[in-house]
Amino acid sequence: MKYLHVKEAVLAELQKPSPGFPLSENSLARRFGVSRMTARRALQELKQEGWLLRTQGRSSTPAPRRFSQGFLRVRPFYEFAQAQGARPQTQVLAAELRPTPGEVREKLGVKKAIYVERLRFLDEEPVQREVRYLHPVYCASILEHDLTSESIHNLLVHTLGLPLTKVWQRLEAVALEQEIALLLQQPQGAPALRLERLTYTLEAPITWVEYLMRADRYYLEDSFIPQTEFPAKERSYELQSPQR
């Protein structure tokens, strides 16, 4: 369909720092040799998918950039930013030994833990608040490192030599409370994604972390190979024609 060709071309332009041609119905119709109705349909779909902002009587403008966060993968923030083509920055809000709240005490099994709170930026905009508790027996030397630039994941694996053998995680939609909303430059009650994660070395839980991510800047996607619980040699498949 013609509108899909226009839509794909505009979407390709939106991946660049700034589009190379105007995003109005008239200009797209002339550029691609299509009707205004076709151009309008392409722009409407891009708006519905969150790529464009449209104002009556004016050209469309790119929507604020969004970032793809893989849900199932553990990936250092700076590597994630590099893959997105974004400029990362970290502000450490706290790094100290603290008593653990009830939920964390139950999961880590300790009354005190190393507490790290960081605010993450992409392209100079705050997009994520991270709160982390680390087991003091396994992770005491974490506080000796520069946590504005070093990945805690890499420190655990490569510096402390802790094999990360299991991850439990939970994702939910939440509304930002006032304190966190101010940090993320959002109104109170703005939507966010909350990712809670517990990481183990062998059978011992060593770090609990909560990420609060702005819902207007993050979307979650992943790919995987579906498998069954049966070994391959026991599998059998039979394709049947649909019933009519």
Side-chain angles (χ1 to χ4, degrees):
M1 296 182 182
K2 290 183 178 181
Y3 90 92
L4 287 176
H5 173 66
V6 177
K7 179 182 175 182
E8 290 171 1
V10 173
L11 188 56
E13 285 297 307
L14 293 175
Q15 309 305 314
K16 302 176 182 179
S18 59
F21 49 79
L23 300 177
S24 68
E25 293 176 10
N26 286 335
S27 64
L28 291 180
R30 288 193 301 268
R31 183 179 184 87
F32 296 100
V34 297
S35 66
R36 283 189 59 189
M37 184 178 297
T38 298
R40 183 182 304 124
R41 182 177 178 184
L43 292 173
Q44 285 176 339
E45 287 199 4
L46 288 168
K47 178 187 176 184
Q48 291 169 356
E49 293 169 9
W51 293 103
L52 288 177
L53 299 176
R54 298 197 70 195
T55 304
Q56 189 70 27
R58 298 184 180 179
S59 294
S60 299
T61 57
R65 191 172 176 194
R66 303 174 70 201
F67 301 94
S68 168
Q69 170 70 51
F71 173 51
L72 299 177
R73 303 182 185 184
V74 178
R75 193 175 196 183
F77 180 75
Y78 281 79
E79 292 181 14
F80 158 74
Q82 183 179 19
Q84 300 287 324
R87 301 185 307 278
Q89 182 183 350
T90 298
Q91 179 183 354
V92 177
L93 303 177
E96 60 192 14
L97 188 66
R98 278 194 188 182
T100 51
E103 178 188 8
V104 178
R105 185 181 307 124
E106 181 180 342
K107 288 183 165 64
L108 281 183
V110 293
K111 294 183 179 180
K112 287 188 175 182
I114 297 166
Y115 175 84
V116 176
E117 182 178 0
R118 300 189 289 187
L119 187 61
R120 304 291 207 167
F121 298 77
L122 291 173
D123 294 337
E124 301 182 353
E125 185 175 31
V127 295
Q128 180 193 106
R129 197 285 300 257
E130 170 194 348
V131 164
R132 184 186 296 267
Y133 288 87
L134 299 111
H135 200 294
V137 173
Y138 299 100
C139 311
S141 64
I142 284 287
L143 294 178
E144 300 172 7
H145 294 268
D146 180 8
L147 300 180
T148 61
S149 60
E150 294 191 66
S151 158
I152 291 179
H153 172 81
N154 287 342
L155 288 172
L156 294 175
V157 174
H158 302 298
T159 304
L160 301 183
L162 296 172
L164 304 184
T165 54
K166 183 172 69 172
V167 172
W168 170 90
Q169 56 189 4
R170 176 181 177 178
L171 176 71
E172 60 184 340
V174 297
L176 290 174
E177 297 180 359
Q178 184 176 14
E179 180 182 356
I180 309 305
L182 287 173
L183 285 175
L184 295 175
Q185 298 178 8
Q186 292 290 285
Q188 182 177 354
L193 299 171
R194 178 183 182 270
L195 179 60
E196 178 186 357
R197 179 178 286 161
L198 183 65
T199 304
Y200 295 76
T201 181
L202 302 179
E203 295 301 316
I206 59 167
T207 175
W208 176 95
V209 62
E210 176 196 70
Y211 301 103
L212 285 172
M213 300 171 282
R214 284 174 49 173
D216 65 333
R217 291 294 181 271
Y218 276 89
Y219 62 94
L220 298 170
E221 66 176 355
D222 235 316
S223 59
F224 63 94
I225 300 174
Q227 297 181 1
T228 72
E229 61 185 33
F230 304 106
K233 63 182 180 180
E234 297 180 7
R235 297 177 192 163
S236 62
Y237 302 96
E238 182 179 353
L239 295 179
Q240 298 181 351
S241 300
Q243 299 294 322
R244 296 190 179 182

